[in-house]
Amino acid sequence: MNRTKKQSSFLCILCLFLPLKGIGASLPFDNETDTLSIQTMDEVVVVSTPKEHASLRQQALSYSSYGETQLKLKDINNIKDLTANVPGLFIPNYGSRLTSSVYLRGVGSRIGTPAIGMYIDDIPLANMSSMDQDLSDADRIDVLRGPQGTLFGRNTIGGLIRVYTKNPMNYQGTDIMLSGATYFNARARVTHYHRLSDRFAFSAGLSYEHKDGFFENQALNGQHADRSDDLAVRWRGIFRPSDKVRLDLSARYQWTKQGGYPYAAKEGNDAGEVAYNRASKYRRNLLSVGLNAEHDLGSIMLTSTTGFQFLKDDMFMDQDFTRQDLYTLQQKQNSKTFSEEIAVKSKNKKRWQWTSGVNFQYQWLKTEAPVTFYQEGIDWLSGIINSSLPDLTSKGMGPMSITLNNDVMPMGGTFNTPTLNLGIFHQSTIEIVKNLSLDLGVRLDYEHYKMAYDAPGNVDFDFAINSAHVPIMLNDLNIKPTFQGKTSKHNWHVLPKASLKYDFGKTGNVYASVSRGYRSGGYNVQMFSDLLQTEMRRQMMGAIDAGAEAYLNNLFSRMPSIPGFNPQSHIDMIMGRIRSSMPVVESPDVAQAAYYKPETAWNYEIGSHLNLFDGRLKADLAAFWIETRNLQLSQMSESGMGRITVNANRSRSIGMEASLQAYITDDLSVNTSYGYTHATLRHSGNEEHTSDYYVPFAPQHTMSVGAQYIWHTRGWLQHISLYTGCKGAGRIYWTRENDLSQPFYALLDAKLTVTHNDLELSLWGNNLTDTHYDAFSFATRGKVFFQKGTPLQVGIDLRLKL
């Protein structure tokens, strides 16, 4: 262990014992809300849920919940900030806001469809590209671990993240927040909550964040590679036309302008430095609109949840990540998603409670994903092609060579990939005897997805066989490798769930559960550059064959007649040597090459939620066993020009989670959490690596520990609080072959807050030991690249309520 790691590990332990003494008067324990301890959050923040009958702590599932105080203390402003705070959760902060690689319990994804679902005010987000957004207005965030497919359907195979914003019916006033930090980072937010009457209330907010960036691109004169600007606008209105009807309309818009992708090489002249010649960028426009309608019908509650999401983004990346001008990748997405869910749940407190519903979702998605080769890249590609050509010297001829003549050569196309999802579900909770209950549920899901593709190409090239006898020179050849067509797939999924729970009353409960989840399949669009290259080589062979024969016919037709010499026999001999030596390239099967299958998993779990010592200690424990089939893995395409999703055979994830929240005194609160995950690809060994590989991006250990102490004074400052926290994750393997990894690392954070009435001032620091770690690493074209983790940063926040 190096010195930095030793320091961070020691300070993580020391931080719990820093605040030992208080000054001034203490408030009674029951009135204290400004602490890290998580009370029964559903009792503190009342949230209307269209499907559930009980608070999370009373359900047979493993979860973590963070209220507004915890979100501020831990500086959680987007889902990436949840990493390691939630046991088993890992969302690496790399690339750009396009990338939301969420992993939980060894289940996750980097591209394609998400493995962990996300809802904001009960409205689902359809795209992984939309998950990393500003959540500074969140009043509460829940993370439900394990498959949630019975009630929530597709793409919740690993769990579910739910975000709730402040309810303007219960909270009024104007919140203002200003923040500044090192590296020229700044944030500003203002949100107004107004209740006009007992029937109508609304909130409206505006936020802006600027980051100058942590990393400089040495190939572009020190230009910041990851500079970003984000602007977000939010509105929410709640209308109660009667005591039985409630309408909740929300709208969120976010504009993002970002650099991103500060990837550096591990070795070479620019080792450890970002140095690529074309500036990368990401642009996004994201709009989400949702309407929740509730109708109390007496014995049942009827809810309708309607959502619409519009996403338009543009990602441009220097895909070779070097000073060379080889090739770039650009991906433009235009997505519109409409969803509708109608749910009915019982309201009685009898021994049988139930929820039933139907769900519909349709997504239109148009993607443009060209890989563009520039002059150095075209020369490099020519070298790859020529390396596969035979040398005919032994056959009395000479070496072959191909020269590409394009100045710029794009490969890619336009792809329409709409998806239809239909679901019907039911779940019942039955009290078998007093304190013993059984949950039984099932969901039937149907998915239909298709792809219409138009991927054209245009390649100019010359061909030569250098021979002393009959040299062949073919100039100005042209081919048009093109893929146009349609393909589609559909799947049915049955998602059952069963759990048994025993309640100890106020002490807590124990439970055992089994559930099934799935993640959608789909089509890879970034691999079409590979398919076009294959088709390019196939057409080249055909063009060379036809061109060489025409060239020889023309050559020998101009020669004088020689007695005993048969030109056609000589042409046939030469062409026979060429044809027998040329590589055979088959035309790719697009439907088979681009498609990846749905991923399914069974989750077996036991756990407990305990409330001890009159609520001063809360403990949450869980152990799980997950069997996954057709695990979806992200990897670089064969050429290294884009990422694709492939299916592994099976994976197994075994682990445990533990969380403790405690009031040590009325002023000192402590929380800690730990997750252990042993996630392996089954039957993945070979002669050189006989054991199973670990699942990439699934850390074996996640942990967090934090303490808050509050001084209550009689002077101008009512409260002074000190928070110290530490979080860590590792070992993390980055590749399927487990040849790149990040050892366990820990980050130390602290925050000092002073409060006067409705004014709050905080001084904070993140990664105080300046621990060096890799936020992400990958290999392409035989080279290893990585993004450094965020360095030490300090800042100041000012909050004011009017």
Side-chain angles (χ1 to χ4, degrees), residues 470-741:
V470 185
I472 299 177
M473 307 292 292
L474 305 178
N475 297 321
D476 301 325
L477 296 178
N478 176 262
I479 57 172
K480 290 181 171 57
T482 300
F483 291 105
Q484 289 181 321
K486 297 179 180 180
T487 183
S488 64
K489 290 282 185 179
H490 71 271
N491 293 288
W492 290 91
H493 298 277
V494 179
L495 308 175
K497 174 186 177 182
S499 63
L500 193 65
K501 184 189 68 168
Y502 185 81
D503 282 304
F504 301 114
K506 293 183 178 180
T507 306
N509 56 60
V510 295
Y511 67 88
S513 69
V514 56
S515 58
R516 187 175 190 263
Y518 84 98
R519 178 152 60 116
S520 303
Y523 296 99
N524 291 301
V525 299
Q526 288 191 13
M527 74 177 308
F528 268 79
S529 61
D530 281 18
L531 298 180
L532 284 169
Q533 288 179 59
T534 301
E535 180 65 11
M536 179 182 73
R537 289 194 293 269
R538 189 187 74 82
Q539 291 192 18
M540 276 182 170
M541 300 304 105
I544 290 170
D545 185 288
E549 187 167 16
Y551 178 88
L552 291 173
N553 282 323
N554 182 57
L555 176 66
F556 284 104
S557 68
R558 298 198 307 267
M559 294 178 60
S561 178
I562 301 175
F565 177 74
N566 185 343
Q568 188 60 49
S569 297
H570 204 64
I571 292 172
D572 292 342
M573 178 194 68
I574 295 174
M575 290 303 301
R577 292 175 179 178
I578 293 174
R579 288 166 178 161
S580 63
S581 302
M582 294 290 275
V584 177
V585 182
E586 300 291 338
S587 181
D589 184 336
V590 174
Q592 181 178 356
Y595 175 66
Y596 57 90
K597 300 176 183 178
E599 174 184 327
T600 60
W602 282 97
N603 180 88
Y604 307 91
E605 182 177 331
I606 58 174
S608 178
H609 306 299
L610 299 174
N611 306 306
L612 306 172
F613 306 108
D614 295 326
R616 285 184 175 270
L617 175 65
K618 297 183 186 297
D620 298 280
L621 308 170
F624 59 87
W625 183 305
I626 303 175
E627 293 287 340
T628 304
R629 289 188 177 274
N630 294 318
L631 178 73
Q632 295 175 14
L633 293 176
S634 172
Q635 64 184 42
M636 298 298 292
S637 61
E638 185 176 348
S639 66
M641 302 166 198
R643 294 180 175 85
I644 61 173
T645 298
V646 298
N647 291 107
N649 183 17
R650 293 189 297 165
S651 72
R652 174 177 295 166
S653 183
I654 303 172
M656 58 82 63
E657 299 148 353
S659 297
L660 298 174
Q661 299 92 33
Y663 289 98
I664 305 301
T665 70
D666 290 354
D667 304 310
L668 173 63
S669 58
V670 174
N671 80 342
T672 181
S673 66
Y674 171 74
Y676 170 72
T677 303
H678 183 83
T680 55
L681 301 170
R682 307 298 292 162
H683 309 298
S684 61
N686 53 39
E687 294 181 358
E688 291 152 358
H689 194 290
T690 55
S691 63
D692 294 324
Y693 290 112
Y694 289 99
V695 173
F697 280 77
Q700 296 176 354
H701 305 274
T702 57
M703 75 88 186
S704 69
V705 58
Q708 184 193 19
Y709 194 87
I710 299 179
W711 291 270
H712 306 284
T713 69
R714 293 190 176 92
W716 188 78
L717 299 177
Q718 285 93 1
H719 304 284
I720 302 174
S721 69
L722 174 64
Y723 165 75
T724 52
C726 184
K727 58 185 179 182
R731 176 177 294 266
I732 307 162
Y733 291 94
W734 301 117
T735 61
R736 181 175 183 170
E737 295 77 19
N738 289 181
D739 51 0
L740 296 176
S741 67

Side-chain angles (χ1 to χ4, degrees), residues 136 151 395:
S136 59
L151 288 180
K395 295 185 179 182

